[in-house]
Amino acid sequence: MFSQQVITQLSNGLKQLLENCDPVDAALIATVDGHMVTMEQRGNYLLERLATMGCSIMSLGDTITSELKMGICNNIISENELGIIIFMHINDDVVLVSLTTQKNALGMLLTHSKKCAQDLKTLVN
Amino acid sequence: MNISTYALENDDKFFFIAMLTMAANGLELSEKDLILVDIEQAEGKKFWLKYHTEKQLIAFAYENMVDATWFLEKPIQLAKLKSLLKLLSQTSNKQPIVEPTPIVESTPIVESTPIVKPNDSFDPSLFLTGVFLKHEAICIKAANFAPLYILPEQNSCLTTVDINFRHLNSEQKQFFEAEISQIETESLTADDIATRSDLYKYPIESFLWATTLCSSKGSLLNGISVDETKILLKQWPDFSILVHDIAHIRLAAIMVRRSLTLKSLADRTQIPIETVVNFFNACFITQLIEINNNISDENESIYSSEQHSIFKSILNKLE
Amino acid sequence: MKEIKLVFTGSMGAGKTTAISAISEIPVINTDVRTIGEDAQYKKTTTAAMDYGELTLDDGNKLRLYGTPGQERFQYMWPIIIKGALGLIILVDDANSHPLKDLALFINYFRDHINKIPTVVGITRRDLEQGPNIQEYHDYLHKEGLKLPIFSIDARQRDNIILMIQALTAMVEFN
């Protein structure tokens, strides 16, 4: 779907996200039908499955938002006992998933992820 | 001609009996006593080795490994059985015997199945079913129905009529009930209709099933007893291409699980015995039946009556 | 109100969403996404989470119709959706390159459920001259010790979906 050059650029974008925001433990980009495009992480997460699950969550979010006539689903936040996961569209074709294990880092994670998604949008459009 | 069977599996035996009447139709058969022996069964093989020099035996197997003079290939097909009978009827009583084979331990003749045909039995050869069982490329005209082209090589039937096997109209029913005397046939090759674009194509099975179901009218195939022969359905019929109603679906559901006689099937399902018999005949002709006299497990159902009533209410809503 | 749930599962493109649409009284809620990778050559969109349809029964209870995603990578959705199902309908696209393998995937995955709830197999997009003979599907099931109904169906035809539900009903009656 993407050239190797674009994938490298996307990968660099994720590295940037991890560098700019310490609490981010992992980030990935997946196609809306559940295929991993690229990922970066500090830990040792099994991110392949997260790519597919992220796409299911995003599609459910899109369906719910459209059902309620609330426009476009910008992002989905999963706040958990041991961390936070954020799912958001980069464009209609790809999704950004980022996560942190710090429970009080929601603001930072959301802000940096949004900026990252915006920066990457020009690459994937 | 009297043909008995030895060491045949139940399915083969009953299928042979059912086919024999059809295959013998129109042939002048000589007075012979023959035994069809399944030489792939240990008992049958022993029997063959012992008696093939003394008696007139027909070897029954996938391959003629004993080089038998009279051989019937498995699985039984009407065309092959018919040509065997023809051959038998054309030869004298004393047959050449294959090379002597050493005799092994003696085995008594334990099985002999006389072919008895009750008056009310269903004889497929008297109906359209018999034509389909011949496996010949043929064009059929019957009961004012559009010509039907049968191409066994392609396992298909073609006609200009768009048939919904779920809801046959009266004209179609009449066609499927047609007796042999009402049917005109012409030989056919695939090339004859190759350029026709106005034909609908159906699997032969759909027609074989429909003709048997419609023409049986409660008469049972030869060799089967309503209250003695226990039967099992090998697999569910593909009802999406077969004439059926809800009674047939209910029968299939019980017949794939339990080995029962036709009478007990009718009793358990409260479906009229005629319907059970018609369904059985259609299953038999399309080779879905297994004769199985073993007692089925009568385990308690894993489903509750509440589940059944929920499904029934779903159907009520949909139908 | 009872939870009455029928689940449609099976390979991608087999017609699960279409089958649910054929009997649902509400427009099917789906989670379709554009196919991007290799799948795009077979189908433009695919279900990423689930499909959902409804039918109100005469007693006021709702029959909930759920469709699973077809691709194996969405397998994590399958146990979520099958939980509490009253019956299972497996659809296999006969025109796929390995339809028997597709059937095997779903039979193996749902085997425990198949032993407990009535299950029927629908083969879609059958071609008389190509693809496996229906007998090959039966032979596979026999090897697995199963005698499930297998019907060649058109998922767009309401009659065909009703046939599968009739079979499920009869299986429950005579198990």
Side-chain angles (χ1 to χ4, degrees), chain B residues 257-258 296-302, chain C residues 175:
Chain B
R257 294 193 61 84
R258 305 209 193 294
S296 296
D297 294 337
E298 291 284 343
N299 294 337
E300 256 185 43
S301 171
I302 57 169
Chain C
N175 183 262

Side-chain angles (χ1 to χ4, degrees), chain B residues 201 235 238 240 250 319, chain C residues 129 135 147 152 166 173:
Chain B
K201 197 174 190 178
Q235 64 200 40
D238 185 358
S240 57
R250 292 177 69 231
E319 285 173 337
Chain C
E129 283 139 37
Q135 191 56 46
K147 268 186 168 184
S152 23
Q166 284 174 327
E173 184 181 3

